[in-house]
Amino acid sequence: MLNRDKLTTNASLLGGLGLALIGTTCCALPILLVALGMGSAAAAMVSALPWLVTVSQYKHFTFTLTAIILAYSFWRLARMTACEPGTQNTLKWQRRALWLSTAILILSMVTAYLLLPLSLWLDSELILN
């Protein structure tokens, strides 16, 4: 039974990490490249990977699905116990991967939703002063 639980937990972790990376690629990475003055690199990336435009148009769905899968992964990992020898190390790496995926998701969401309003607000503050 533990092997099936382990497989399901690993699959949900990989799904969460994959979707978090897709969210970063569609939203955070192009914004970061443009902010660093590498707009041509962002344009080349979008032309090489045209599906990024579609994913960025549906970023609400992408981020929601990623959050649901990561929440499911947290739930699965909380239910697992280290009963068999050698599973403690596996659980430790699964927790690390889950927290890394969560950090990537949060960074992507901050970049996609808060970076532009924050920069506009800071720009207006500089103009007023």
Side-chain angles (χ1 to χ4, degrees):
M1 183 72 167
L2 186 60
N3 287 337
R4 184 175 160 218
D5 284 344
K6 185 177 172 182
L7 181 65
T8 304
T9 303
N10 285 339
S12 62
L13 283 170
L14 286 175
L17 180 61
L19 282 171
L21 290 174
I22 287 174
T24 300
T25 306
C26 84
C27 305
L29 190 59
I31 292 171
L32 179 66
L33 289 174
V34 170
L36 294 174
M38 295 185 242
S40 60
M45 184 178 70
V46 170
S47 68
L49 306 169
W51 54 268
L52 289 178
V53 175
T54 305
V55 172
S56 66
Q57 289 173 347
Y58 297 103
K59 65 184 172 188
H60 306 297
F61 177 73
T62 303
F63 288 140
T64 302
L65 183 63
T66 304
I68 289 169
I69 289 175
L70 288 175
Y72 176 73
S73 297
F74 271 109
W75 178 73
R76 293 285 308 173
L77 206 54
R79 288 187 48 219
M80 290 190 70
T81 58
C83 296
E84 293 183 14
T87 58
Q88 187 64 29
N89 194 33
T90 302
L91 288 174
K92 182 172 68 171
W93 282 103
Q94 287 175 340
R95 284 187 190 99
R96 287 179 183 170
L98 184 57
W99 282 108
L100 175 67
S101 301
T102 304
I104 291 170
L105 174 67
I106 290 170
L107 175 70
S108 299
M109 289 178 70
V110 165
T111 304
Y113 295 111
L114 293 179
L115 198 58
L116 181 61
L118 182 64
S119 65
L120 291 175
W121 177 75
L122 288 174
D123 191 37
S124 69
E125 288 294 320
L126 289 175
I127 290 173
L128 292 176
N129 291 330

